Amino acid sequence: MKDSITGWYRNVIRNPKYRWWIIAGSLIYLISPIDISPDFIPIVGWIDDGLIATLLVAELSTWALERLKVKGRKAEDAVQTADAAVPGYKSETKTVDVNAVSAE
């Protein structure tokens, strides 16, 4: 059952149409005194909040890293396009080939 709930949560939060609804719902659930297991019960009451908080932070960080990678690729493409547009311009980036050898 855990895999189905976490899988559902990940799929829904990655969908741009529902992302903000899931984030808002998760934050409201964490703040709200109404839980699946009440918070006044030590440890057991905190497990559901910990699970939701962990999923929320993990998925938001994954989403943010993916967005940063996409922005980085777009910036690299823009620089390469600009370099190619200038006649006679030679980029100063150097490529180094490395032959890796496994050590036993």
Side-chain angles (χ1 to χ4, degrees), residues 44-56:
V44 175
W46 303 322
I47 290 175
D48 63 332
D49 291 339
L51 177 66
I52 295 294
T54 302
L55 285 172
L56 180 63

Side-chain angles (χ1 to χ4, degrees), residues 19-38:
R19 179 176 298 128
W20 297 111
W21 287 104
I22 294 297
I23 292 170
S26 297
L27 293 174
I28 290 169
Y29 182 81
L30 291 172
I31 294 170
S32 172
I34 301 170
D35 284 346
I36 293 172
S37 59

Side-chain angles (χ1 to χ4, degrees), residues 12 16 27 34 37 53 73 85 92-93 103-104:
V12 174
L27 293 174
I34 301 170
S37 59
R73 283 190 216 123
E92 294 189 24
T93 58
E104 293 183 29

